[in-house]
Amino acid sequence: MSTVSTENYLKTVYSSAGTGRKPVSTASVAKKLGITNAATSEMAKKLAGNGYLSYAPYKGVELTEKGKAVALKVIRRHRLWELFLLKTLDLSWEQVHDEAEILEHSASDFLIDKIDQYLDFPSFDPHGAPIPDADGKLPEMPEQIELGNCNFPGDYKIVRVSAKSNEIMRYFSGLGLKLDESITTVKKLSFDNSVTLLIDNKEVTLSEKMCKCIFVTSKKG
Amino acid sequence: MSTVSTENYLKTVYSSAGTGRKPVSTASVAKKLGITNAATSEMAKKLAGNGYLSYAPYKGVELTEKGKAVALKVIRRHRLWELFLLKTLDLSWEQVHDEAEILEHSASDFLIDKIDQYLDFPSFDPHGAPIPDADGKLPEMPEQIELGNCNFPGDYKIVRVSAKSNEIMRYFSGLGLKLDESITTVKKLSFDNSVTLLIDNKEVTLSEKMCKCIFVTSKKG
DNA sequence: CAAAAAAGTTAAGTATGCTTAATTTGCAAT
DNA sequence: ATTGCAAATTAAGCATACTTAACTTTTTTG
């Protein structure tokens, strides 16, 4: 019943929704999938009819539980394929990403569970992205805040670095921006939304686009 | 340009052609693919138009070099995926077969070559099936004769056991029917085309269907 | 608060890859 | 050689997943 197109659609809506409960515009889905708005509107109608999402014309779409379950399954397959290829073939993150984009629609539940077992049932990938379990349940995790939405000043811990390109990941590593590192936000410039922060007592400024890749959690105490 | 449907079509024609240069009937392709004759006739017309095969209505299809290249590429991907999953996940032949049937249409050339490298560039799979190299070239191999088409009596060596089911593979193993084993054919019953042969000086009789899974080569001297 | 711009939808049309039903072709038996 | 049947093809139709183009709704803004 769920085709490659519908899986990609639901996955995209899920990822676009973020934490907010606002509906996702069909146009933003179109942009991410590289297809026309017309196609995503039509698809919204069909998926709503099948109970995967709710859709009010001109108001966007919102996943139902059924739709979320499909999205989480695809995300699970994607991340497990990535990790599996990363580990067995010694490839880079950049090299496995596009492969996983295709493979996420293949392989039986049986095979995916075997891969999960081989990897010792990981809850997070090396960038901090959570991996849904076989029942589509996400691991417990602290509330993630996009770096740009922090308080200034404030003490935080990095819980996710979601860039897919090696170039930017190397740049982040060079700055000491890694999972579980502690940082202190200093200020945000309204001019271009760039953010200045302290890592290891060194001051660093990141562009708005960079900030969108970095998620943190408040440090208690 | 080459879709899952066309890849499966060309792969099926290639496998059906055997060693003979006779055209393959569109109906036999239909049967193997589980679709109607109408669909395979139509597909034949289209693939002929694209130069993948030659097609004369009512006379069957024959792959061109271009078509063979696609078929060999799919077969390469299939066998490498099988071996890769077999080796990394410790699964059985039966368990990986259906997965490979899907995965053979996914993954980039880059990834397939990495898997090839990981497996140390195998020329044959564990059942004796040849694996085309990255250029689509098959390894050198002795002429393979289906067990049913041997001379009786005659001395042969087993070069391929192509059954996909574990049940029959275990049965064959129990009889000592393995790759590189020497056998002597005794007789073939015209009643049901069953074949009697000697393995380790023990006499064994195999059904016609079993014989179709076993390929041998003449022993010189 | 209207008018223009932007965002989103609907309608019509296309390609792929199937289906069923009607038709044609090839061949085998007399 | 002709008839009759089986094999194969063509024709018509359907579902999916897109496209472009015309239209409608929403949002912005002066």
Side-chain angles (χ1 to χ4, degrees):
Chain A
M1 188 96 294
S2 72
T3 64
V4 171
S5 293
T6 61
E7 284 188 354
N8 277 331
Y9 195 102
L10 296 171
K11 184 186 69 162
T12 303
V13 174
Y14 182 89
S15 303
S16 303
T19 46
R21 247 167 256 311
K22 296 278 152 60
V24 174
S25 81
T26 56
S28 74
V29 175
K31 200 172 171 188
K32 287 188 192 176
L33 290 177
I35 58 180
T36 58
N37 289 2
T40 50
S41 284
E42 208 174 50
M43 194 71 154
K45 231 186 303 174
K46 205 181 64 182
L47 291 177
N50 289 330
Y52 290 106
L53 41 79
S54 60
Y55 169 55
Y58 299 100
K59 302 295 185 186
V61 296
E62 237 169 325
L63 293 183
T64 60
E65 285 309 310
K66 185 177 169 189
K68 250 180 233 172
V70 172
L72 285 166
K73 204 162 179 175
V74 176
I75 288 167
R76 168 178 164 80
R77 290 197 297 241
H78 181 97
R79 303 216 164 119
L80 288 176
W81 267 121
E82 271 185 339
L83 282 179
F84 180 59
L85 297 180
L86 214 58
K87 186 162 178 182
T88 53
L89 298 177
D90 196 33
L91 301 179
S92 72
W93 196 261
E94 218 159 14
Q95 287 171 322
V96 298
H97 176 64
D98 292 345
E99 308 292 342
E101 206 61 39
I102 299 166
L103 293 172
E104 69 188 11
H105 308 294
S106 310
S108 65
D109 286 350
F110 169 80
L111 185 65
I112 292 298
D113 288 348
K114 283 290 175 181
I115 289 174
D116 195 22
Q117 187 182 328
Y118 174 88
L119 296 167
D120 204 20
F121 309 103
S123 292
F124 295 92
D125 79 14
H127 292 181
I131 301 174
D133 70 15
D135 298 321
K137 199 158 162 288
L138 284 169
E140 291 291 327
M141 48 186 173
E143 201 197 358
Q144 298 185 356
I145 309 163
E146 219 178 274
L147 187 52
N149 300 332
C150 288
N151 294 322
F152 298 87
D155 289 322
Y156 296 95
K157 191 176 75 169
I158 297 177
V159 292
R160 185 159 172 196
V161 183
S162 70
K164 291 292 181 190
S165 111
N166 278 355
E167 184 198 24
I168 191 65
M169 286 306 293
R170 271 193 299 270
Y171 179 71
F172 286 157
S173 291
L175 295 177
L177 268 164
K178 297 183 216 131
L179 277 190
D180 289 326
E181 288 294 308
S182 292
I183 60 163
T184 301
T185 57
V186 177
K187 62 170 181 286
K188 178 174 178 177
L189 296 180
S190 61
F191 169 65
D192 64 351
N193 288 322
S194 63
V195 163
T196 302
L197 42 81
L198 279 173
I199 318 169
D200 291 330
N201 289 320
K202 273 187 303 190
E203 202 165 84
V204 166
T205 298
L206 302 177
S207 73
E208 182 177 20
K209 197 166 178 189
M210 288 177 185
C211 291
K212 285 193 184 305
C213 302
I214 294 167
F215 296 82
V216 299
T217 191
S218 304
K219 282 182 75 169
K220 294 163 190 170
Chain B
M1 187 96 293
S2 72
T3 63
V4 171
S5 293
T6 61
E7 284 188 354
N8 277 333
Y9 195 102
L10 296 171
K11 183 185 70 162
T12 302
V13 174
Y14 181 90
S15 304
S16 304
T19 47
R21 247 168 256 313
K22 296 277 154 58
V24 174
S25 80
T26 56
S28 74
V29 175
K31 201 173 171 188
K32 288 189 191 176
L33 290 177
I35 57 179
T36 59
N37 290 2
T40 50
S41 284
E42 206 175 52
M43 196 68 155
K45 230 187 303 174
K46 205 181 65 181
L47 291 177
N50 289 331
Y52 290 106
L53 43 77
S54 60
Y55 169 55
Y58 298 100
K59 301 295 184 185
V61 296
E62 237 169 324
L63 294 184
T64 60
E65 287 308 311
K66 185 177 169 188
K68 250 180 233 172
V70 172
L72 285 166
K73 203 163 179 175
V74 176
I75 289 168
R76 169 178 163 79
R77 289 196 296 240
H78 181 96
R79 302 215 165 119
L80 289 175
W81 267 120
E82 271 184 339
L83 283 179
F84 180 58
L85 296 180
L86 215 56
K87 186 162 178 182
T88 53
L89 298 178
D90 196 34
L91 302 179
S92 71
W93 195 261
E94 217 160 14
Q95 288 171 323
V96 298
H97 176 65
D98 292 344
E99 308 292 342
E101 207 61 38
I102 299 166
L103 293 172
E104 68 187 11
H105 307 294
S106 309
S108 65
D109 287 350
F110 169 80
L111 186 65
I112 293 298
D113 289 348
K114 283 289 175 182
I115 289 174
D116 195 22
Q117 185 183 329
Y118 174 88
L119 296 167
D120 204 19
F121 309 103
S123 291
F124 295 92
D125 78 15
H127 291 182
I131 301 173
D133 69 15
D135 297 322
K137 200 158 160 287
L138 284 168
E140 290 293 327
M141 46 186 175
E143 202 197 356
Q144 298 185 357
I145 309 164
E146 219 179 273
L147 188 52
N149 299 333
C150 288
N151 294 323
F152 297 87
D155 289 323
Y156 295 95
K157 192 177 77 171
I158 298 177
V159 293
R160 186 158 170 195
V161 184
S162 70
K164 292 293 181 190
S165 110
N166 278 355
E167 184 196 24
I168 191 65
M169 287 304 293
R170 269 193 299 270
Y171 180 71
F172 286 157
S173 293
L175 296 175
L177 269 163
K178 294 181 220 139
L179 276 190
D180 290 327
E181 287 294 307
S182 293
I183 61 164
T184 300
T185 57
V186 177
K187 63 170 183 284
K188 178 173 176 176
L189 295 181
S190 60
F191 169 64
D192 65 349
N193 287 322
S194 63
V195 163
T196 302
L197 42 81
L198 281 173
I199 317 170
D200 292 329
N201 290 320
K202 273 186 301 187
E203 202 165 84
V204 166
T205 298
L206 302 177
S207 73
E208 182 178 20
K209 197 167 177 188
M210 288 177 184
C211 291
K212 285 194 185 303
C213 301
I214 294 168
F215 296 83
V216 299
T217 192
S218 304
K219 281 182 75 169
K220 295 162 191 169

